Amino acid sequence: MQNENREWHALEVDEVQSHVETDVESGLSKQTVTNRQEEFGKNVLPEKEKTPEIIKFLRQFNDILVYVLLGAAVVTGFLGEYIDTIVIVLVVTVIGVVGYLQENKAEEALEGIKKLLETKATVIRDGKQSEIDSSDLVVGDILVLAAGDKVPADARVIQAEKFKVEESALTGEATTVEKKSDVVKEEAVLADRKNMVYSGTSVATGSAKAIVTAIGEGTELGQINASISEVQTVKTPLIRQTTKFGQTVSIAILIISVIIYAFGYFLRDYEPVELMLTTIGLAVAAIPEGLPAVISIILALGVRNMAEQKAIVRSLPSVETLGAVSVICTDKTGTLTKNEMTVKQIVTAKHDIEVSGSGYAPNGDLELNGQPFDLDDDESMIDLLTVGKTCNDAQLNEEDGEWVINGDPTEACLLTVAEKAERPIERLKVISKIPFDSEYKYMATLVEYKDERMIFVKGAPDRLFDMATTDGFKQEYWDEKRKEIADRGQRVLGAGLKRVDSSKQSIDHEDVEDGLTFLGLFGIVDPPRQEAIDAVAACRDAGIRIKMITGDHKDTAVAIAKELGMEVEGALEGRELTDMSDEEIKEASVHNDVFARTSPNDKLRLVKGLQENGLITSMTGDGVNDAPALKRADIGVAMGIKGTEVAKEASQMVLVDDNFKTIYNAVREGRRVYDNLKKTILFLLPTNGGQALLVAMSILLGAAAPLSPVQILWVNMVVAITLSLAIAFEPLEESTMKRPPRPANVPLLSRYYIFRVTFVSILIGGGSLWINYMLGDFDYSTEKLQTITLNAIVMAQLFHLYNCRTELVPAFNRRFFDNKIAFLVSGLLIALQLFITYVPFMHTLFGTAPLTWEDWIYPVAFGAVVFIIVEIEKAISRRVIGNQNIH
């Protein structure tokens, strides 16, 4: 049965049902599902073959610098310098292991994100509708599909309502395809099978039920081995920038090394082999070969941290972009508000009814002037509640004493208010349906009611007002009532009905263009989240503009915006945006913050307008029609709870909790990650530069090498596995969220950064060379002198790490002890230095010698001097250029 090679499209529904042994009404039983999963496995595509671990490890050595080192190892071995050979090979191996572990960490972080992005599917099992992981689907499951869903398996359509599917992922056709349950000819090609839906495609409009006929690799998509949910691991612009930077520096250093070698060979009295190894040490010391790997792990940690804060970032590049976001465009409902919809007011032609209670629990009453309202006093109230309950796709259930909803919150609250009535309100059987569509802003159902065939309509009041052409409709009265409700910050929903011929079996939009009897209005409250109010204020402090783009009425949007502390002057509606030129949209997108009654195309135009103003823009969305705006935005943000699978697929970030504060937290984390990347560069480049300068100056001066090549390799190794990772864990500086977003085109190294790198390189390189020369007059052995110099340059780097934990803020501040990792790696570095200084076999390998406690005064004092001088420089720079201008 599993993934049979049948022409499902050519079979009647009952034949399909029989072949896969299911029931179209009640679905599969729990036991049947378990049995089929055990026999046929999960609904997943085969994963791309993983790179063998040994290949991943060997890949770490595919670098020109490693080739140079290994070449040096061969030369030293050929010359009989076996200890040097062993040490070089050992150090290269350690650096390879560190790179391998860093790559695995990044992969593990993205793998965790990949699991969080798994899609969901709605199925009917044991007669109940429920949501499951799409990987748990089996052949025979009854799928329930709606607009915005990602089709999770191949399935035969058995019931369809205005159902259209976008199949470009499979067929390449850009236009949507209408699907029906009718049998199709057996010879029909894939694109013509109008009664089949296929894994990886997307539901554009309408709703349907379908029987799963193939899962996993048995699907059409599986057979061409395409992946629908793989997270793409793309190198970020910053990594590409730093990689290119490292390559450029490598070439420059190799050229300089050749020049230095020639200078030492022809103009200084150096042994060729010693000079060659020293020159190789110069090249290795100068090149920041570990920088891309360190940046990758910082970005991967940022992705993991965001996931812990309920922001699922799909790829590493998004982390980098988040740090530069200058505008956040957001919906209102559920993001800025609680999305706990409650009907608080019902207005009919005769009465204004107040509704008590809150949330989805049906606890409360319909009240008129503080007294229980008698439905017999207003027959239209019964009609209104019946329309609200029937013209409705949501479900309301009690589970473990808690009332939970399955469906749209606005629809669910209509079920709740119907339950609060003094008598049962019937939910009628639907004969035909026009599903809600954001373009039309209403939903309609064909039903049998009071022995008549009627169309129930529920949706935006202004749309229903246009349909209400019956005698007695008072446009002015209803406009006033709608505005009264909206002014209270409530969402307004209208309902009406239309009598039609008893023979009518299906409905379309043309059937409700006029002749509607308008019944009344629902006032629905959805208060702002307190954390959203705080986050909006925090965004304002960070120089980030918030744009509310909602489908709600202008009055409602303005009322909520005021509570959020947003600027509401000049709020615009979608109809005004439609009449604007692109140039006018560009201006309006910057100067206005509240946009109401907007369409998906309005959102797209606003995003384009903001980007044309040079603003890095984040856009939130939840529906299939939001996908173009989400894709266009620099950071598309999909809702994890109410968001459709198509919206999630189009976005770069998914909010697990649909909370606006989570967007702010993600931007905050993005800024922290970017700042730490810059600080890492600020730390690594001067340490490499200082070492290179030390070696180069000694050759130019014709002096003995202050450090041997293996000692330089040791310094690079211990810094790579300790200090270089510390800044990744640095917390956000307090000033970071008080400064405006960084410009999109900011260079990797600002003028200040270039000055700081050069200044500290000269300080560390020149200072350590001076110590070596100064102590050369003392009665020290070569081994002891080199050991002091070795520890001096390591101590300088250790102290400099604490300079770099902040850019211009003093190193000693109230958050000095927040980064525990910095102290941990500092302790590890000190332990390694004691190891190379006092363990006898390390003396043999690295040419070091034990030091007395008095000898340690020079390295420690030098490190402290470097720290103090850099802190003085930071204070001067802070006063001259200011903390805001260093980027």
Side-chain angles (χ1 to χ4, degrees):
M1 177 192 65
Q2 165 68 356
N3 297 342
E4 293 181 62
N5 186 21
R6 289 186 180 275
E7 303 298 337
W8 300 107
H9 57 279
L11 301 179
E12 295 286 354
V13 171
D14 57 351
E15 292 180 278
V16 178
Q17 177 181 231
S18 175
H19 280 303
V20 300
E21 300 173 17
T22 190
D23 185 280
V24 295
E25 296 297 330
S26 60
L28 299 173
S29 67
K30 184 177 181 181
Q31 186 59 51
T32 301
V33 170
T34 301
N35 293 341
R36 292 187 183 182
Q37 285 179 344
E38 289 177 354
E39 185 176 357
F40 304 116
K42 292 278 191 178
N43 176 36
V44 293
L45 292 172
E47 290 193 3
K48 187 172 65 175
E49 186 176 344
K50 291 188 176 180
T51 304
E53 297 299 313
I54 185 64
I55 299 298
K56 285 167 61 177
F57 177 68
L58 293 175
R59 198 163 55 197
Q60 308 304 318
F61 305 101
N62 184 24
D63 185 89
I64 187 172
L65 261 296
V66 175
Y67 297 154
V68 173
L69 285 175
L70 293 177
V74 171
V75 172
T76 53
F78 180 76
L79 296 175
E81 300 289 336
Y82 300 119
I83 292 179
D84 281 3
T85 301
I86 292 170
V87 171
I88 291 172
V89 172
L90 179 64
V91 171
V92 168
T93 303
V94 170
I95 291 174
V97 169
V98 170
Y100 169 76
L101 294 175
Q102 287 177 334
E103 183 178 329
N104 272 2
K105 277 187 178 181
E107 287 182 357
E108 287 171 9
L110 288 173
E111 192 64 30
I113 299 307
K114 193 172 163 185
K115 291 178 181 177
L116 290 170
L117 289 172
E118 290 178 350
T119 59
K120 300 289 185 180
T122 302
V123 297
I124 296 174
R125 288 178 178 173
D126 289 321
K128 295 181 179 179
Q129 184 171 308
S130 60
E131 188 177 62
I132 64 169
D133 289 335
S134 62
S135 60
D136 291 332
L137 282 172
V138 297
V139 170
D141 262 323
I142 306 301
L143 271 179
V144 179
L145 298 166
D149 286 348
K150 193 77 172 284
V151 179
D154 289 2
R156 169 68 159 83
V157 176
I158 57 177
Q159 180 183 321
E161 292 282 349
K162 315 297 181 186
F163 187 56
K164 292 185 178 181
V165 177
E166 196 275 307
E167 294 186 327
S168 61
L170 191 64
T171 66
E173 291 188 20
T175 57
T176 58
V177 180
E178 185 171 6
K179 299 287 184 176
K180 296 182 179 180
S181 61
D182 302 337
V183 172
V184 175
K185 291 181 180 180
E186 186 173 342
E187 62 271 18
V189 296
L190 189 70
D192 292 333
R193 296 172 187 174
K194 307 299 185 184
N195 58 8
M196 295 291 297
V197 288
Y198 296 102
S199 177
T201 61
S202 307
V203 180
T205 60
S207 60
K209 287 184 181 179
I211 302 174
V212 174
T213 56
I215 62 171
E217 59 184 325
T219 63
E220 292 291 337
L221 199 62
Q223 289 176 28
I224 60 174
N225 205 25
S227 174
I228 62 172
S229 59
E230 185 172 345
V231 177
Q232 299 296 315
T233 55
V234 182
K235 278 191 174 183
T236 75
L238 186 62
I239 287 184
R240 291 197 299 268
Q241 206 173 4
T242 52
T243 301
K244 185 177 180 180
F245 175 78
Q247 291 170 348
T248 303
V249 171
S250 300
I251 294 171
I253 290 298
L254 288 174
I255 293 173
I256 292 171
S257 297
V258 171
I259 295 172
I260 291 289
Y261 181 87
F263 182 90
Y265 183 80
F266 292 109
L267 301 178
R268 294 287 185 262
D269 188 22
Y270 283 106
E271 288 290 328
V273 174
E274 179 189 354
L275 180 60
M276 181 180 67
L277 291 175
T278 303
T279 307
I280 290 172
L282 163 66
V284 174
I287 299 173
E289 65 271 12
L291 186 58
V294 174
I295 290 177
S296 292
I297 201 67
I298 291 174
L299 290 172
L301 287 171
V303 169
R304 189 190 68 184
N305 290 341
M306 288 181 184
E308 290 174 354
Q309 296 182 49
K310 302 187 184 301
I312 310 304
V313 180
R314 298 176 66 89
S315 59
L316 294 182
S318 303
V319 183
E320 182 187 332
T321 310
L322 274 165
V325 165
S326 50
V327 175
I328 300 175
C329 301
T330 176
D331 191 11
K332 175 181 68 66
T333 305
T335 310
L336 296 170
T337 59
K338 292 182 178 180
N339 203 22
E340 293 179 356
M341 300 293 192
T342 305
V343 176
K344 301 300 291 183
Q345 187 175 3
I346 301 176
V347 177
T348 67
K350 295 180 179 179
H351 299 101
D352 283 15
I353 309 301
E354 300 295 327
V355 184
S356 61
S358 62
Y360 299 116
N363 302 321
D365 300 297
L366 307 183
E367 299 176 349
L368 179 64
N369 300 323
Q371 298 298 318
F373 178 71
D374 188 350
L375 292 182
D376 290 333
D377 292 343
D378 191 345
E379 187 176 348
S380 64
M381 178 66 78
I382 300 175
D383 294 340
L384 184 61
L385 294 175
T386 303
V387 171
K389 190 171 183 178
T390 301
C391 199
N392 199 314
D393 286 329
Q395 292 185 342
L396 183 66
N397 300 298
E398 187 175 15
E399 298 179 4
D400 301 323
E402 293 288 330
W403 288 88
V404 296
I405 66 166
N406 186 352
D408 183 75
T410 302
E411 292 191 329
C413 75
L414 298 181
L415 300 180
T416 300
V417 75
E419 295 299 320
K420 293 178 181 180
E422 61 180 14
R423 69 178 70 169
I425 300 297
E426 188 178 3
R427 189 170 192 172
L428 305 175
K429 182 179 179 180
V430 175
I431 301 168
S432 179
K433 177 172 66 174
I434 302 175
F436 177 82
D437 189 303
S438 58
E439 182 180 349
Y440 291 96
K441 295 186 172 67
Y442 66 81
M443 174 184 179
T445 54
L446 178 66
V447 299
E448 194 75 33
Y449 182 52
K450 295 180 179 180
D451 297 325
E452 292 186 82
R453 193 144 290 195
M454 298 185 184
I455 300 176
F456 286 176
V457 185
K458 173 208 69 189
D462 50 351
R463 289 291 291 117
L464 271 62
F465 291 168
D466 293 338
M467 304 173 189
T469 58
T470 54
D471 294 338
F473 178 70
K474 300 176 181 178
Q475 175 84 43
E476 188 176 335
Y477 168 81
W478 289 113
D479 273 334
E480 184 180 341
K481 288 298 181 183
R482 179 196 56 74
K483 191 173 187 311
E484 283 180 11
I485 297 173
D487 285 344
R488 298 189 185 104
Q490 296 177 9
R491 183 174 183 179
V492 189
L493 210 59
L497 56 81
K498 178 181 179 179
R499 291 167 175 81
V500 294
D501 190 88
S502 59
S503 63
K504 196 161 190 64
Q505 294 297 323
S506 64
I507 56 174
D508 208 333
H509 292 291
E510 290 79 9
D511 295 312
V512 292
E513 286 181 348
D514 54 25
L516 188 76
T517 300
F518 192 78
L519 296 173
L521 300 169
F522 294 98
I524 302 170
V525 66
D526 183 18
R529 299 173 185 254
Q530 181 57 51
E531 60 267 32
I533 296 174
D534 297 338
V536 168
C539 284
R540 189 166 52 244
D541 291 342
I544 301 171
R545 291 282 296 275
I546 309 300
K547 309 286 182 180
M548 180 195 289
I549 306 177
T550 178
D552 268 356
H553 197 277
K554 180 178 177 179
D555 297 329
T556 307
V558 167
I560 295 296
K562 284 180 179 177
E563 291 189 60
L564 290 163
M566 293 176 60
E567 177 60 52
V568 298
E569 289 297 323
L572 295 174
E573 289 187 305
R575 55 184 175 79
E576 298 173 87
L577 297 175
T578 303
D579 295 334
M580 289 184 179
S581 65
D582 290 343
E583 193 61 34
E584 289 172 325
I585 285 284
K586 179 180 176 181
E587 185 175 347
S589 67
V590 173
H591 292 100
N592 302 85
D593 289 346
V594 178
F595 303 90
R597 310 304 283 166
T598 55
S599 68
N601 188 56
D602 294 331
K603 293 184 179 182
L604 179 60
R605 294 185 71 201
L606 287 169
V607 169
K608 288 180 178 178
L610 289 165
Q611 291 175 325
E612 286 171 6
N613 281 289
L615 300 173
I616 303 297
T617 305
S618 169
M619 178 76 212
T620 67
D622 57 9
V624 63
N625 289 327
D626 292 329
L630 290 171
K631 284 184 177 180
R632 173 73 191 203
D634 299 284
I635 291 289
V637 180
M639 304 295 105
I641 298 173
K642 66 176 181 176
T644 61
E645 295 303 329
V646 173
K648 294 174 188 176
E649 192 74 13
S651 65
Q652 292 82 44
M653 188 168 81
V654 178
L655 301 185
V656 174
D657 57 359
D658 289 10
N659 193 338
F660 179 80
K661 185 180 180 183
T662 305
I663 304 176
Y664 170 77
N665 288 341
V667 173
R668 192 172 182 274
E669 179 66 17
R671 288 198 183 187
R672 186 191 74 85
V673 166
Y674 185 79
D675 281 1
N676 288 350
L677 291 174
K678 299 282 280 187
K679 291 174 188 176
T680 300
I681 293 170
L682 201 60
F683 167 71
L684 282 178
L685 295 190
T687 54
N688 285 100
Q691 292 176 102
L693 193 61
L694 172 66
V695 177
M697 289 176 66
S698 66
I699 295 175
L700 293 175
L701 295 172
L707 296 176
S708 69
V710 293
Q711 289 169 346
I712 292 174
L713 288 170
W714 168 266
V715 173
N716 271 6
M717 181 185 70
V718 295
V719 171
I721 64 177
T722 58
L723 302 184
S724 65
L725 296 177
I727 296 176
F729 299 90
E730 198 63 34
L732 190 77
E733 289 189 39
E734 293 179 353
S735 63
T736 300
M737 294 307 288
K738 299 293 183 183
R739 66 172 185 246
R742 75 176 193 269
N745 58 349
V746 66
L748 179 62
L749 293 179
S750 64
R751 285 181 295 178
Y752 171 71
Y753 270 50
I754 294 172
F755 158 75
R756 175 92 164 260
V757 167
T758 305
F759 174 72
V760 178
S761 296
I762 294 172
L763 183 62
I764 293 177
S768 54
L769 184 64
W770 179 78
I771 289 174
N772 186 268
Y773 276 180
M774 180 189 69
L775 296 180
D777 295 335
F778 294 6
D779 189 20
Y780 284 127
S781 65
T782 300
E783 291 78 9
K784 192 166 187 177
L785 182 59
Q786 288 184 332
T787 304
I788 293 174
T789 306
L790 172 70
N791 280 294
I793 202 164
V794 169
M795 286 298 109
Q797 293 179 2
L798 173 59
F799 277 86
H800 182 53
L801 169 69
Y802 289 87
N803 293 129
C804 294
R805 286 183 57 194
T806 58
E807 290 177 319
L808 290 181
V809 175
F812 289 111
N813 55 70
R814 63 189 185 89
R815 305 186 69 181
F816 181 74
F817 296 102
D818 285 1
N819 185 358
K820 303 296 189 296
I821 300 297
F823 297 99
L824 180 65
V825 297
S826 298
L828 178 60
L829 178 67
I830 291 170
L832 289 170
Q833 287 307 111
L834 293 175
F835 186 68
I836 195 175
T837 303
Y838 293 108
V839 176
F841 81 84
M842 296 295 281
H843 299 161
T844 304
L845 290 174
F846 289 93
T848 54
L851 303 180
T852 65
W853 71 267
E854 292 96 340
D855 296 329
W856 280 101
I857 293 174
Y858 302 107
V860 174
F862 177 55
V865 167
V866 168
F867 175 81
I868 292 169
I869 291 175
V870 174
E871 284 300 301
I872 293 172
E873 177 273 316
K874 284 166 62 177
I876 295 171
S877 297
R878 189 165 60 247
R879 184 179 295 272
V880 173
I881 66 175
N883 196 44
Q884 304 289 330
N885 301 315
I886 65 171
H887 297 281

